[in-house]
Amino acid sequence: MAQQQQEQVYEKYYVPDQSPWPIVGAVALFLIAYGAGNFVIEQTKGESGYGGWTLLAGIATLIFMLVGWFRNQIHESMSGLYSAQLGRSYRQGMAWFIFSEVMFFAAFFGALFYARVIALPWLDGASNNAMTAEVLWPNFEAIWPLTKTPGGVETTAMGWMGLPLYNTIILLISSVTCHFAHVALEKQQRTKLIAFMAVTILLGLFFLVLQVEEYVHAYREMNLTLQSGIYGNTFFLLTGFHGMHVTLGTIILIVLFLRILKGHFTPENHFAFQAGSWYWHFVDVVWVMLFFFVYIL
Amino acid sequence: MSTATTELGHDDHHHHAPSGIKRWLYTTNHKDIGTLYLWFAFIMFLIGGAMAMVIRAELFQPGLQIVDPNFFNQMTTVHGLIMVFGAVMPAFTGLANWLVPMMIGAPDMALPRMNNWSFWILPMAFSILLASLFMEGGGPAFGWTFYAPLSTTYSNDTTALFVFSVHIMGISSIMGAINVIVTIFNMRAPGMTWMKMPLFVWTWLITAFLLIAVMPVLAGAVTMVLTDKFFGTSFFSASGGGDPVMFQHIFWFFGHPEVYIMILPAFGIISAIIPTFSRKKLFGYASMVYATTSIALLSFIVWAHHMFTTGMPVGAELFFMFATMLISVPTGVKVFNWVATMWRGSLTFEVPMLFALAFIVLFTIGGLSGLMLAIVPVDFQYHDTYFVVAHFHYVLVTGAIFSIMAAVYYWLPKWTGKMFDITLAKWHFWCSLISVNVLFFPMHFVGLAGMPRRIPDYALQFADFNKWISLGGFAFGLSQLIFLALLIKACRKKGEPVSDQVWEGAEGLEWEIPSPAPYHTFETPPVIK
Ligand code: HEM
Ligand SMILES: [Cu+2]
């Protein structure tokens, strides 16, 4: 009797039965890591091998896994297996995942700050390093952007006007439209929702196109490459990883868009949408940081 | 979202485990996944241990005799990587899987499928790492800390495999940590308030936070090593405007919290075992919680105590010295509380308690040598000597690993329903205890006398101590085979059946369910008193 009463009070937490997808995912990551490692090695040695193919097989397996897993998940969600508590689990999980991404970018921002504030001035003799500068790098001058490395590699700095500024505006607007889409979803205004989502996706794609253009410009005309010393290193790794995140974010938005067309989300039950929009806002915030610290300052 | 429909998923209310290999490959059950983690960790412990045997065999006598120096370097590197990422961390994750849901009255982990994914990534990652040992040029040979330029300019090509295997290990840890955090935040049975949570749950909550905060930084560090080595960047090379010391900053920003990741759950375990066998409530529960939290927060601002000899400005040296010393205050609080718990308790010395007591004494020795290392001018002499090796093996082997063994002995009867072989267990304990001290204590002396770490040869004056160290090492290695035998016996469910409570003084939800713990527990939340 006591048990029964309790069951009425608490919703049951959905613990899924066995699932083949995780192990498929683990195999996928194995193929990706092993393939990528060998691919890099083969490239360096100039040999041909199976590394690239292994990597591709891994990516394909990962996509297969994601599709299968999410299809499972969507099916469960649509058949009402989920409780409010499970929804909270997913939301909290997503929030912590984004936090881990923040820390990933923090590593590269940390490298940027360390190089600018500490490493370069020291190479130029600051603190107690007068002799380092004198003996090792007599011709070096610490400036930022570092257009001439201690080793003598020269490059040009990427300004913030033009493309980067447009890109900032584009992403900021897309964050707003993404938010409007969310509001529309909660108010069940379907046309508005679809329109705002479409705009957000287009803005994301537009951003990516401009970003590619910027890279081409940097490589072809500015002699700014991944090998251009610490300025080029931080520039390309930060914007590059950001770009990968925008790509992933756009793919997520597209999947969400297709699900919206199918009428999947309700004002109460739309975790996937929320997660996608959080991710998008996160990507935008990272860009704003980038715009300030990589381009302007 | 009605209550009625939630029954759908559980139409097949099986309380028994599915059978065959699929049970383990496809499982979403926190107990199965916990078992997988624990066995994986133990196997890695044996593999990493075998590498330590190679190291000690080479160091048995001065001179180069058994392996060539490059292979020696691979052994020290992979031994460290395996023990940190393959043995200690997965063992704690396994314990978290088994115990956290049972301790907070949850039906399972919050995200059971992701849980399985987190586990199965690990064997994949380590098979890549181990495979690289057999490839052209050999495996990683730059130390588990992979300092640049050892890992960039001077490393071999298989570094790429090292980098990617660390990446997927990191993915596994982050997902595992997210799972633990969400479970604790969201799955506590009604009435299980924050300050009623067992300390193991508390310490794991904070550990999980540390993991999510620093594993991505490790990923960033290996990524920069990859691009420096293979794609022409110069993050860690002065000629391009980078700095090899920057590598150390990034690495230790991860690395120091990482050592606390490996000890906080141990604190939780000891805080569970000591009260049981003292038949008293834990002394100072709340102060334990605050101490754990402050250790975790402080651990973000002490990283450069690993870098005192890199030529930092004096102000930075002082800051990191004092911040490091500050950590010993909450650590001291913990040791004090354990001792105070035993004070005037009615103590008995069952095997888990033996390990817990050894932990308290020996971990404290490690903490004290840490305190010595934290003093800048002293560290100038001790840095990169065997004194450091002695320090971290006291905190990690007799600290983290002894706590894991204590935990296994403590909860094993709950898992299998049978008492383990106590005679074997006592043999395991005494052999380990004696040999581990023969192994690590003399390292203090050779370290103080200046024997450098990570070098396959040494000056003649260190020969006697090193002989004893190696003998202790082999004995400690062999002692673990007793543990292996005991575990195999336990898993085949040999032994006397135990009661639900198992240990006379044990308290907590996990001791109120039947032994062995049923496949599914707490499908409806228990009542918390
Ligand atoms: C009372 C607390 C502690 C203090 C003050 C402390 C201090 C230090 C210092 C100053 C070093 C650097 C020595 C050097 O390289 O010159 C060090 C190294 C180390 N400590 Fe601790 N420590 C403490 C506790 C711990 C704990 C609890 C663990 C792990 C469970 C740990 C693991 C390590 C490791 C692994 C290293 C060596 C890393 C390497 O270079 O490979 N320490 N410790
Ligand atoms: Cu440290």
Side-chain angles (χ1 to χ4, degrees):
Chain A
M1 207 37 216
Q3 263 227 333
Q4 278 227 318
Q5 270 171 2
Q6 271 188 14
E7 273 183 49
Q8 279 159 10
V9 182
Y10 307 114
E11 284 178 313
K12 220 175 198 131
Y13 197 83
Y14 175 68
V15 179
D17 278 332
Q18 295 206 313
S19 163
W21 299 115
I23 187 92
V24 176
V27 171
L29 286 185
F30 172 81
L31 295 173
I32 289 176
Y34 191 71
N38 279 305
F39 182 63
V40 170
I41 295 171
E42 286 153 12
Q43 291 294 308
T44 324
K45 287 189 184 156
E47 289 171 359
S48 62
Y50 51 88
W53 295 112
T54 318
L55 174 60
L56 284 179
I59 294 174
T61 317
L62 191 72
I63 293 172
F64 170 65
M65 176 279 257
L66 287 172
V67 171
W69 191 328
F70 283 135
R71 180 181 287 170
N72 226 345
Q73 199 102 10
I74 292 167
H75 174 76
E76 288 163 2
S77 165
M78 303 299 286
S79 42
L81 288 173
Y82 289 178
S83 60
Q85 193 187 12
L86 190 75
R88 279 198 299 281
S89 286
Y90 285 157
R91 279 180 179 71
Q92 289 177 7
M94 187 65 195
W96 286 106
F97 167 66
I98 289 178
F99 174 58
S100 79
E101 293 267 53
V102 169
M103 292 309 292
F104 181 71
F105 277 100
F108 292 94
F109 275 110
L112 174 68
F113 297 148
Y114 187 88
R116 285 183 61 171
V117 182
I118 298 179
L120 290 176
W122 282 9
L123 285 173
D124 197 11
S127 187
N128 56 354
N129 301 284
M131 287 317 283
T132 314
E134 201 64 34
V135 178
L136 292 177
W137 316 105
N139 299 321
F140 173 64
E141 195 197 343
I143 48 163
W144 192 266
L146 185 71
T147 42
K148 187 170 178 216
T149 66
V153 177
E154 295 194 40
T155 177
T156 25
M158 181 69 77
W160 59 272
M161 300 285 273
L163 279 188
L165 183 63
Y166 300 152
N167 260 349
T168 310
I169 297 169
I170 290 173
L171 273 197
L172 284 178
I173 296 178
S174 81
S175 219
V176 175
T177 54
C178 181
H179 176 70
F180 282 160
H182 195 177
V183 175
L185 171 62
E186 275 175 343
K187 290 196 184 149
Q188 286 187 297
Q189 296 159 324
R190 209 175 133 72
T191 0
K192 254 191 179 172
L193 168 62
I194 294 178
F196 277 122
M197 275 304 274
V199 174
T200 314
I201 293 171
L202 287 177
L203 287 172
L205 292 173
F206 198 36
F207 172 92
L208 286 171
V209 172
L210 289 188
Q211 192 71 3
V212 170
E213 207 173 302
E214 187 188 25
Y215 278 15
V216 173
H217 177 62
Y219 262 80
R220 291 240 176 100
E221 282 134 52
M222 299 175 63
N223 195 25
L224 174 61
T225 69
L226 187 60
Q227 285 92 0
S228 314
I230 194 73
Y231 174 65
N233 302 161
T234 48
F235 177 85
F236 279 107
L237 257 73
L238 277 163
T239 56
F241 275 118
H242 177 264
M244 280 158 70
H245 282 75
V246 177
T247 313
L248 182 62
T250 311
I251 294 173
I252 294 175
L253 290 178
I254 292 173
V255 173
L256 290 176
F257 187 69
L258 296 177
R259 287 189 64 189
I260 290 170
L261 291 183
K262 279 193 174 176
H264 272 184
F265 301 117
T266 64
E268 302 81 37
N269 183 14
H270 57 265
F271 160 72
F273 184 91
Q274 190 150 39
S277 81
W278 280 354
Y279 196 77
W280 194 250
H281 293 313
F282 151 72
V283 168
D284 289 354
V285 172
V286 172
W287 177 261
V288 173
M289 300 280 292
L290 274 174
F291 187 57
F292 270 104
F293 291 114
V294 176
Y295 290 95
I296 297 189
L297 292 178
Chain B
M1 289 287 95
S2 68
T3 333
T5 48
T6 54
E7 281 297 307
L8 248 163
H10 268 269
D11 38 20
D12 51 339
H13 239 274
H14 51 76
H15 274 274
H16 295 285
S19 54
I21 183 77
K22 274 191 188 165
R23 164 173 177 190
W24 304 103
L25 292 182
Y26 291 180
T27 183
T28 51
N29 181 284
H30 72 103
K31 300 185 181 78
D32 282 354
I33 295 174
T35 308
L36 285 171
Y37 264 113
L38 286 167
W39 270 110
F40 175 77
F42 191 58
I43 292 165
M44 284 293 134
F45 178 63
L46 296 180
I47 296 178
M51 294 176 180
M53 297 300 104
V54 175
I55 297 172
R56 281 327 311 179
E58 175 60 47
L59 292 175
F60 186 72
Q61 284 184 341
L64 299 176
Q65 37 253 325
I66 299 179
V67 293
D68 76 55
N70 184 39
F71 188 71
F72 182 87
N73 289 345
Q74 294 174 35
M75 286 294 101
T76 54
T77 305
V78 183
H79 163 73
L81 290 169
I82 286 196
M83 289 306 196
V84 169
F85 296 105
V88 174
M89 288 167 66
F92 279 135
T93 314
L95 291 170
N97 259 295
W98 255 103
L99 298 170
V100 169
M102 295 198 320
M103 285 177 161
I104 61 174
D108 205 297
M109 297 291 277
L111 305 161
R113 278 175 287 215
M114 194 174 84
N115 200 13
N116 186 26
W117 195 19
S118 313
F119 170 74
W120 278 108
I121 292 172
L122 282 180
M124 308 293 173
F126 281 91
S127 51
I128 295 177
L129 185 68
L130 288 172
S132 76
L133 283 172
F134 301 97
M135 291 182 184
E136 198 188 320
F142 30 66
W144 81 279
T145 49
F146 60 103
Y147 278 12
L150 291 178
S151 57
T152 53
T153 317
Y154 301 106
S155 66
N156 58 35
D157 283 342
T158 54
T159 306
L161 289 168
F162 159 80
V163 166
F164 287 108
S165 85
V166 170
H167 268 306
I168 62 175
M169 269 171 222
I171 293 174
S172 155
S173 302
I174 291 171
M175 291 198 299
I178 290 178
N179 221 334
V180 171
I181 283 206
V182 176
T183 306
I184 298 173
F185 264 93
N186 196 28
M187 307 281 288
R188 279 169 294 133
M192 178 57 80
T193 53
W194 289 106
M195 292 312 260
K196 274 188 196 165
M197 280 185 346
L199 267 169
F200 181 73
V201 182
W202 258 113
T203 51
W204 239 111
L205 175 68
I206 292 172
T207 304
F209 167 74
L210 288 178
L211 276 167
I212 302 176
V214 301
M215 290 308 285
V217 177
L218 175 69
V222 290
T223 306
M224 289 182 232
V225 164
L226 183 82
T227 59
D228 262 21
K229 180 160 178 60
F230 295 101
F231 299 104
T233 63
S234 38
F235 285 102
F236 309 131
S237 152
S239 75
D243 186 349
V245 174
M246 178 164 90
F247 172 85
Q248 299 187 25
H249 280 291
I250 300 174
F251 178 81
W252 287 114
F253 183 83
F254 147 80
H256 187 82
E258 167 68 21
V259 308
Y260 281 97
I261 287 165
M262 293 188 286
I263 204 67
L264 290 182
F267 291 166
I269 292 164
I270 303 303
S271 305
I273 293 176
I274 297 286
T276 296
F277 299 102
S278 307
R279 291 158 186 82
K280 273 177 67 189
K281 280 245 169 317
L282 181 72
F283 182 86
Y285 171 90
S287 68
M288 287 295 212
V289 173
Y290 300 131
T292 313
T293 319
S294 41
I295 289 177
L297 293 179
L298 283 173
S299 76
F300 285 109
I301 54 161
V302 300
W303 76 87
H305 63 214
H306 297 271
M307 306 167 52
F308 285 147
T309 58
T310 55
M312 285 186 295
V314 176
E317 308 250 296
L318 287 177
F319 172 80
F320 286 108
M321 170 163 91
F322 289 127
T324 303
M325 292 179 146
L326 206 58
I327 293 204
S328 34
V329 177
T331 314
V333 168
K334 292 195 167 267
V335 175
F336 178 86
N337 285 349
W338 292 323
V339 177
T341 306
M342 290 186 285
W343 178 253
R344 298 197 163 167
S346 35
L347 271 67
T348 49
F349 300 95
E350 283 86 345
V351 180
M353 182 65 164
L354 292 176
F355 273 98
L357 289 172
F359 172 97
I360 295 179
V361 176
L362 299 175
F363 171 78
T364 306
I365 294 180
L368 291 175
S369 59
L371 212 49
M372 290 169 72
L373 290 167
I375 303 167
V376 173
V378 173
D379 185 68
F380 280 13
Q381 165 144 1
Y382 301 164
H383 178 64
D384 257 349
T385 68
Y386 261 82
F387 192 80
V388 179
V389 180
H391 158 63
F392 68 73
H393 282 94
Y394 265 88
V395 283
L396 282 171
V397 178
T398 58
I401 292 192
F402 267 32
S403 84
I404 293 165
M405 287 169 177
V408 169
Y409 284 122
Y410 187 52
W411 280 290
L412 192 59
K414 173 56 68 184
W415 300 338
T416 62
K418 302 280 162 58
M419 184 51 77
F420 52 79
D421 185 330
I422 294 177
T423 325
L424 273 186
K426 290 212 159 142
W427 273 100
H428 174 224
F429 172 74
W430 288 108
C431 291
S432 298
L433 181 72
I434 295 167
S435 59
V436 89
N437 283 293
V438 177
L439 164 59
F440 294 123
F441 208 78
M443 286 187 184
H444 291 112
F445 307 140
V446 291
L448 292 177
M451 177 170 161
R453 64 189 281 209
R454 291 175 169 160
I455 307 284
D457 190 6
Y458 49 82
L460 286 182
Q461 75 200 75
F462 305 125
D464 287 346
F465 277 133
N466 270 288
K467 186 181 69 190
W468 282 105
I469 294 173
S470 285
L471 289 175
F474 302 142
F476 185 70
L478 288 176
S479 312
Q480 303 322 308
L481 299 181
I482 308 179
F483 193 34
L484 175 64
L486 180 141
L487 288 176
I488 291 174
K489 226 171 139 182
C491 283
R492 294 164 77 197
K493 312 249 160 146
K494 299 269 159 59
E496 291 288 306
V498 291
S499 70
D500 291 357
Q501 202 194 6
V502 184
W503 313 102
E504 190 191 50
E507 275 179 35
L509 286 179
E510 77 269 32
W511 306 112
E512 286 164 23
I513 55 177
S515 303
Y519 197 60
H520 292 291
T521 34
F522 300 130
E523 283 179 295
T524 47
V527 186
I528 314 286
K529 279 160 268 167

